[in-house]
Each structure stands twice: as C-alpha cells, then as structure tokens.
Amino acid sequence: QQKIKQLNINLIAVDEAHCISEWGHDFRPAYLKIPLVRELGISASIIALTATATKRVLNDIVTNLEMPDAKIFKQSLVRSNLALHLTRHEDIYFQLKEQLKTNTQSSIIYANSRKRVRDVSNYLNKNNFKSSFYHGGLSTEEKQLAFNNWMDEKTPVMVATNAFGMGIDKGNVQQIIHIDLPNSLENYMQEAGRAGRTGEKAISIIFGNEHSISNLKNQFKKGFTTVDFAKKIYNHLNQYLYIAYGELPQHPFEFDLTTFCNQYQLNILQTYNTLKLLEREQILSFDENFNVQSSLKFKVTPNKILDYAEQNKNQLIKIILRAHGGIFDHYIKINESIIAKKMNTTASYIKSQIIKLEKNGLITYNYNKNTSKLNFLVPREDDKTILKIALDIKQQNKIKLEKMNAVIHYVKNTSICRSKLLLDYFDEKINSDCGICDVCLSYNSHKFDYKFISEKILELLTTHKQLSSKEIIISMNVDTSTVLTTLQNLLDTDKISINSQNKLEKI
C-alpha cells in the first residue's frame, strides 16, 4: 500500500471486469478489494472492461467498483458474419475431418479435458491435419511452442481446453468447433467470437446431442463442491502437510495432486475444483505452472525390451508400452503417480524401478518432480475457515447450475434463431433472424424450393469430387429428409450421378 501511495496514478483500468460479479462466469473475490485504493487517497478515474456481461453483471460491476455515476459504453454483440451452428451427429471424428476439409484456414477445436485434447490432436495429425494441442497442464515452454506453431501456420488447427483464451487475436480464424458443450454461454460467446474477427465469413459449431448433455451434467456433478467437501479437503490438506492449528506457514509447499488424492481416496476432478475454489476465496494459492513431468525413451529395439519384460516378469514395461506410442522414437512424458496407481504401489517404487531399467541400459530417464505449488494465505482454523465462505460456495453452485441449464436450453433449441437466443441471454434484443445459423437454414430451406441446398451440394461435389449421401448430410447441417429429397431431384435432372463406388459425383 505504501508503494501505491508513492505512484502517480491517473487511471485505474480493470480488465475482465466480470470477475468482480458473483454472476460473472469467472468470479474472483479478490476483485472486490479494488475499491480499497480509494482509501489510500487515490482519486483516479476507473475504466472497467469486459467482452461478455449480462445486465445483472453490469450492475454488479458498477456497484462493486463504487462507480455511481458510471457511463456505460456497450457495443452490440451481433456478429453478422459468424454463423452459429449446432450438429447432433454422433460421429465426431468423421465430422471433424469433413469440417477441416471444407474450411482450410485456421481453426480452434475446444474440448473439456486434457486427455481428449491430446487424443483429438493426435488423431488429426495421423489423418494429415496439422494440429497442436494446448491445456493448463503443459509447461510454459510447451504452451508457447504450441501457440507459436499455430500463429505461424505450422499447425493451422489448435485443439485446446478453455485454458487457450487470453491474448488470442488471430485474423484468419475461420471456424471454432466445440466437441464438448461449454460450461456457460459466456464462455461460448468468448470462444466462438475468436472466429471471423476481420469481418470475413466464419462459423462456430457445437456438437450437441443427448449424449453430450449427459456428459455436461456428469461433469457438473463431479466438479460440484459442497461446503462439507470443502471442509474435508481443507482438513486433509492440513493433515497432509503437517500444519498446526493456528499456524500460517511462511513458505510454499510442493504438492502432488495425484498422490494426495490417492492417499485420501478422493476424486481428482472434484478435488481440483475445490482447490481452485479455495484459491478464488483467497484461502490458499495453487500454482499449477510448477508442474514439470518426467520423460523417458527406450534405447533398445522393441524385441529386446519385450524379451527383457518376459524374462524378468516386468509389468512396468508392459504398462508403459500400452500407454505410450512412439516411445522408441522420441521422449515421452510420464506421470509416476498414475503408473503407481495402476500397479497398486507407490510413486517412489516406480521411480526406483525406472532407474533400474536405466542402469541396465534399456532406457534414458529424465526425472522431474511432477508437483504443483501450494501456499496458504490464512492461518489454519479448520471448519471455521470454510464456514466463513459457506454462503459464497452455495451461491456459486446455484449460479453454475443456472449457467449449465442455459447451455442445455441453447442446445435443445430447434425453433429460435441461435443469434437471437444467444443475444437474448445477454439482454440484447434483435428484431430479425440471422438467416445463417442451423435453425434459420433449416427453416428457410423449404422457402428456397431446395435451390439453396442444391447449390451447396454441387459446391461440395466440386470440392471433394465424390461423396456418399451420409458425408453430404453431415456436411450440410440441414435435416436429413431435405438433403435426401434434394439429392433425388439432382439425380433426376442429371446434375449428379452415382459412380461404381456407390458415391455421388457431379456430372
């Protein structure tokens, strides 16, 4: 505070200002302390900036930043060049390939788990679509490399969790694809808005059906933090790190989430979300960027390593081989704690066995501590600590449920223009339909007497030479019966034909 008093401050800028509202999609209680600078005698003007805020959030920003005479400048969220589409097809990988063939410029594919992000990126690379992946568990260097490769067009497709967000401003992003449902419409609006920023035509696609809705609900349940569970995690942390009642440690702790969860038989996702909640409430800080994984590579031939495993009945080698491809060609990252759980043993035992393999000349092993950093911000008071934030926890759970239900309503919608429905959520009313979302196209297809659909099909066949009816249906995002009727009409009028491979081609 003394340092702030010494500065010549003439403007206080609050970016991501929705974080000051409990109704915002990333509520951070620390933002509520911003107005305290007034008590230091600073009278500078305040500017608060946010890309997505409902009327309720805007009111909170004005109130919590103590800006009674605030002037609000609000730009319309209408993006007339961005087509909002939802597809209900189950074959995600096939549809991804079709979309990436059709739209060849930069793309971002969002998924809700680190494993899914990695798996999808690997699948695309195997199918000749150059992609990188990005999530919060990568090191700073790995994140920067993935970002640079995407920006430089070395890998035009980025597969990412919502950790890929800050500072993303690339002009040629043509499409955003959500293969999992976003957690809120605020998140969706921000992520979809990264396409078509130069005004060129762009598309945002959500894969949404009953299966994905069920996954979203299950994810919500797994991540749901009750007051009792928060107490449980907090008490286990104090036990695990040997913190005395009333003590406030003055140093950070190395913390392995997997080992902690194994010891107390806790769900990792639910525990992780609880730690993030405790961080938002300023009870502790949880630094995931402290995470550096070990890596290893086999030095001998596959036959030799398999012979060794058989002769020595080495289960560890078999587990590593099953879990990691390419381990004979390059270094792969491993998590000793996860391997230990599979073998029902400890991480230290796994490390000792890997070191033994290295001494025998079979592998090269780069051991790094796979930990995060945990720092306590308040003294230990057990249940009292959590009871102080109990009302916040309950309120946040209520808000998260409302946001999830809003996403489900958006996905289930088949009658209202998607732009109109989305803007209505943000308290912006528009009179006319967008005409380019999947709902509008489906509704208008009958008006065009199939002319519009026919033109799109012929364009597809010009690009791809030959396609099956299934491939065309998936690419069109129009109801199946309309596409099939149009295909029959094109066949009858000799615009297209069926070849020997039972595929359709343009005449």
Side-chain angles (χ1 to χ4, degrees):
Q1 291 184 4
Q2 291 302 317
K3 180 65 175 176
I4 292 176
K5 287 180 180 179
Q6 295 169 13
L7 298 174
N8 180 23
I9 297 174
N10 52 37
L11 178 67
I12 300 168
V14 183
D15 197 13
E16 307 292 347
H18 53 266
C19 294
I20 203 169
S21 169
E22 65 180 358
W23 291 98
H25 62 285
D26 190 17
F27 175 52
R28 301 180 188 182
Y31 271 56
L32 295 171
K33 296 184 178 181
I34 293 173
L36 294 178
V37 297
R38 296 294 192 206
E39 298 178 11
L40 303 178
I42 296 170
S43 57
S45 298
I46 294 180
I47 181 172
L49 307 164
T50 180
T52 49
T54 61
K55 187 175 181 179
R56 184 156 46 182
V57 171
L58 285 176
N59 290 337
D60 272 1
I61 292 172
V62 170
T63 301
N64 294 335
L65 286 177
E66 299 177 8
M67 304 166 69
D69 301 320
K71 292 182 179 179
I72 297 176
F73 300 88
K74 187 177 179 182
Q75 187 177 14
S76 172
L77 293 173
V78 172
R79 294 282 303 279
S80 58
N81 66 314
L82 180 61
L84 304 177
H85 281 217
L86 184 139
T87 177
R88 304 186 191 281
H89 295 288
E90 299 280 352
D91 194 344
I92 290 175
Y93 284 106
F94 176 80
Q95 178 106 359
L96 274 179
K97 288 193 296 183
E98 291 306 302
Q99 282 301 132
L100 294 174
K101 286 177 187 175
T102 303
N103 298 308
T104 57
Q105 293 189 46
S106 279
S107 302
I108 306 174
I109 300 170
Y110 283 105
N112 286 348
S113 77
R114 296 173 181 181
K115 182 180 184 303
R116 190 153 160 88
V117 159
R118 186 176 61 251
D119 289 348
V120 170
S121 179
N122 289 339
Y123 173 82
L124 292 177
N125 284 319
K126 287 177 182 177
N127 283 273
N128 300 316
F129 296 101
K130 294 179 181 179
S131 75
S132 296
F133 65 88
Y134 189 108
H135 58 67
L138 300 178
S139 67
T140 302
E141 292 77 15
E142 288 170 323
K143 289 177 182 175
Q144 193 60 51
L145 178 62
F147 178 76
N148 290 343
N149 285 341
W150 182 68
M151 289 295 291
D152 295 340
E153 300 296 329
K154 292 178 181 177
T155 53
V157 181
M158 177 65 80
V159 190
T161 63
N162 59 10
F164 187 67
M166 298 296 287
I168 307 303
D169 189 10
K170 189 178 182 185
N172 70 333
V173 178
Q174 191 179 35
Q175 64 181 343
I176 305 291
I177 302 174
H178 286 79
I179 59 174
D180 295 317
L181 297 183
N183 296 319
S184 70
L185 291 180
E186 287 91 343
N187 280 346
Y188 174 61
M189 192 71 172
Q190 284 202 332
E191 289 159 3
R194 293 182 181 124
R197 289 193 169 179
T198 59
E200 297 291 323
K201 289 183 179 180
I203 188 169
S204 170
I205 301 171
I206 293 181
F207 286 74
N209 49 47
E210 289 302 323
H211 179 68
S212 56
I213 289 173
S214 177
N215 285 343
L216 182 66
K217 289 179 177 178
N218 288 334
Q219 184 181 351
F220 176 80
K221 289 175 184 176
K222 288 178 182 176
F224 191 83
T225 298
T226 64
V227 173
D228 287 341
F229 190 76
K231 288 179 185 178
K232 181 179 180 179
I233 296 300
Y234 183 66
N235 289 334
H236 281 331
L237 281 174
N238 287 310
Q239 284 180 338
Y240 185 71
L241 299 170
Y242 301 102
I243 299 169
Y245 187 84
E247 179 187 357
L248 175 58
Q250 299 301 308
H251 60 86
F253 295 90
E254 289 185 9
F255 180 73
D256 186 328
L257 178 61
T258 304
T259 301
F260 174 73
C261 290
N262 287 344
Q263 179 165 327
Y264 292 101
Q265 296 183 326
L266 300 165
N267 177 277
I268 288 183
L269 177 60
Q270 195 174 16
T271 303
Y272 171 82
N273 286 336
T274 302
L275 289 173
K276 299 303 287 184
L277 181 148
L278 295 176
E279 182 177 46
R280 285 196 303 272
E281 295 290 343
Q282 295 186 285
I283 289 170
L284 53 79
S285 64
F286 180 46
D287 184 3
E288 299 171 80
N289 291 327
F290 202 61
N291 182 356
V292 182
Q293 286 184 286
S294 301
S295 63
L296 61 81
K297 176 185 175 184
F298 282 119
K299 296 168 63 177
V300 297
T301 63
N303 288 337
K304 191 168 184 178
I305 199 72
L306 288 171
D307 288 343
Y308 179 92
E310 289 297 327
Q311 291 169 11
N312 294 274
K313 295 181 179 179
N314 192 302
Q315 190 66 19
L316 173 61
I317 288 175
K318 294 178 181 178
I319 287 176
I320 293 174
L321 287 173
R322 279 198 296 266
H324 302 287
I327 196 169
F328 292 94
D329 303 318
H330 52 77
Y331 284 94
I332 55 97
K333 293 187 176 180
I334 62 165
N335 186 316
E336 293 88 349
S337 296
I338 291 176
I339 296 173
K341 186 176 181 181
K342 289 180 180 179
M343 294 184 64
N344 196 26
T345 184
T346 63
S348 58
Y349 173 77
I350 296 298
K351 291 167 190 170
S352 69
Q353 292 302 299
I354 295 176
I355 290 170
K356 182 180 176 181
L357 293 175
E358 186 175 39
K359 287 180 179 177
N360 289 336
L362 299 172
I363 66 167
T364 303
Y365 179 43
N366 298 319
Y367 168 61
N368 290 298
K369 292 181 179 178
N370 183 28
T371 57
S372 300
K373 188 163 62 176
L374 205 65
N375 199 30
F376 287 86
L377 305 178
V378 297
R380 175 183 174 180
E381 292 186 288
D382 293 341
D383 289 357
K384 287 183 181 178
T385 303
I386 304 302
L387 288 173
K388 291 176 183 176
I389 62 169
L391 290 177
D392 284 348
I393 293 174
K394 292 176 181 177
Q395 178 69 352
Q396 281 300 297
N397 285 336
K398 178 184 175 184
I399 291 169
K400 286 178 182 177
L401 179 61
E402 287 188 18
K403 290 183 181 298
M404 181 190 72
N405 287 333
V407 171
I408 293 172
H409 175 64
Y410 180 84
V411 170
K412 287 187 172 182
N413 165 62
T414 58
S415 59
I416 303 171
C417 165
R418 294 214 179 274
S419 290
K420 193 177 274 188
L421 187 63
L422 190 59
L423 292 174
D424 183 67
Y425 177 81
F426 290 100
D427 303 301
E428 182 175 347
K429 309 295 181 184
I430 56 174
N431 296 322
S432 58
D433 293 344
C434 72
I436 56 174
C437 72
D438 62 291
V439 175
C440 288
L441 290 179
S442 178
Y443 176 76
N444 291 333
S445 64
H446 298 291
K447 291 184 184 179
F448 296 133
D449 292 328
Y450 301 101
K451 181 180 177 182
F452 175 79
I453 306 299
S454 298
E455 290 174 353
K456 295 298 291 183
I457 290 172
L458 293 173
E459 283 179 19
L460 280 172
L461 292 174
T462 299
T463 303
H464 299 285
K465 304 304 180 187
Q466 59 176 20
L467 291 170
S468 68
S469 57
K470 178 187 175 183
E471 290 170 331
I472 292 173
I473 289 167
I474 290 174
S475 299
M476 291 295 294
N477 279 312
V478 178
D479 65 278
T480 302
S481 62
T482 301
V483 176
L484 291 176
T485 302
T486 308
L487 286 173
Q488 188 59 54
N489 182 55
L490 289 170
L491 285 166
D492 293 342
T493 55
D494 294 326
K495 299 286 179 60
I496 62 174
S497 63
I498 300 174
N499 63 23
S500 58
Q501 296 176 323
N502 205 32
K503 290 197 172 188
L504 297 160
E505 59 185 17
K506 192 176 174 183
I507 294 177

